[in-house]
Each structure stands twice: as C-alpha cells, then as structure tokens.
Amino acid sequence: MGCRNSKISPANTIVLGVVQIMIGVYHVLMWYFLLLLYMGQIKGVFGIYEPLTYKMGTSLWGLAFVISGAFTIKAAKYRSRYMLFCTMSLNILCIVITIVAASLTIVELAHFRSVSYRNYGQAKLGREVSRILLCSYPLEFGIALTYSISGCAYLAGKEEESFESVTEVVEAPETEDMSNFHNS
C-alpha cells in the first residue's frame, strides 16, 4: 500500500481533531448567523433572498466535523482497530461533505438573482459569509484526508504485523515437529 509510510504522532492527531472541532463549531455558528440574517428580510418587490446553501443547511453540516473531530481525538488516545475504522469512516464522510458543500457554495456564488433594495444588504452579507465558508472547506478537506491516510497507514501496519505473527506461530511448531520426525 502507498500509505504505509504516512504515520503521524498521537499528539498531532489530537491537534487535527481539535482543529476539526473548531471548524465544525465555526460552521454551525455561521449557519445560525445566516438564519438570523435571512429571517430578518422584508418581503420586497423581487422577493427575499434564500440561497441554495442556506436552504440545504450546508453550514449545519459542520456538526459532522465536530463529531469526526471528537472521534479523532478519542482514536488518538485509544487506538483500537474498531475505533480507527469508525474515525476513518467519519473522516471520509467529512471529505464527501466538504466536496458537496463547496460545490453548492460555488453554484450559489455563481448565480445571483437580484433582490429588492431592502434586502440587498442582507443578501450581500450572506454571500460574503458563503465566501468565507468556501475558504474553510479546503482546510477541513485537508485535515480529513490527512487523518484518513494516517489511519490507513496505521491499520496497514497492524494488518502486516498480525499476518507476520500468524505465520511465525504456524511455522515455528511445524519446524520443531519436522526435526523430531527426522530424528526418530
């Protein structure tokens, strides 16, 4: 496997988990800010501004980042095969979420319907929040990918060790039995 040499220390893994939690909390707070911002709109001539990412709650998907970060910290402290597998699965889910959320944000920023003059300031501020969130998706993507590669390396190393130990256990008694057989 290509990921065998990519191992990081438990302390660095904890830092990745903490940063993941911070990003997730930031996304949830930004979603709350957008909720307050868009709920305060006044229905104007052109309607109200409801972007795609707001309707789908993509910033609220930051809860997945928080959960994944918590599992990453727990997996750094208690390295079991099951815990690593769960944490890798959550980080892979975070990778998918960041790709989908970034794609939806790009689509939202590319298409801007004009809104009434009363809601223009709120729409403009909401778009700026979306731009800021768009900048944080590559960071979350990088953290989730780094941990996934590291977890892959750790699991591959453990798998290799378990295969070697089974082979050694099976071969060791066999050679003793064969030498006893030839001596008789």
Side-chain angles (χ1 to χ4, degrees), residues 27-111:
H27 277 258
V28 171
L29 290 175
M30 287 294 109
W31 180 82
Y32 183 69
F33 175 69
L34 289 174
L35 175 72
L36 294 177
L37 183 70
Y38 292 138
M39 284 183 66
Q41 295 184 80
I42 301 169
K43 189 159 181 117
V45 179
F46 299 106
I48 58 175
Y49 181 63
E50 290 182 324
L52 181 63
T53 55
Y54 173 71
K55 286 181 182 177
M56 296 191 70
T58 47
S59 296
L60 196 57
W61 296 351
L63 290 174
F65 304 157
V66 173
I67 293 168
S68 180
F71 269 79
T72 301
I73 292 170
K74 181 126 175 134
K77 292 181 179 181
Y78 309 105
R79 286 196 176 228
S80 70
R81 187 175 194 81
Y82 176 74
M83 191 62 162
L84 284 171
F85 181 74
C86 287
T87 307
M88 275 183 45
S89 299
L90 282 170
N91 276 294
I92 291 170
L93 175 68
C94 285
I95 290 171
V96 172
I97 285 173
T98 57
I99 291 171
V100 171
S103 301
L104 289 172
T105 305
I106 290 170
V107 167
E108 172 194 321
L109 293 173
H111 302 294

Side-chain angles (χ1 to χ4, degrees), residues 2 13 27 32 52 88 94 100 117 126 132 150 171 175-176 181:
T13 303
H27 277 258
Y32 183 69
L52 181 63
M88 275 183 45
C94 285
V100 171
Y117 183 73
I132 291 169
S150 171
E171 289 179 356
T175 57
E176 291 174 7
F181 179 73

Side-chain angles (χ1 to χ4, degrees), residues 41 46-49 112-121 123:
Q41 295 184 80
F46 299 106
I48 58 175
Y49 181 63
F112 183 68
R113 295 179 299 138
S114 70
V115 294
S116 68
Y117 183 73
R118 293 181 187 175
N119 297 327
Y120 184 76

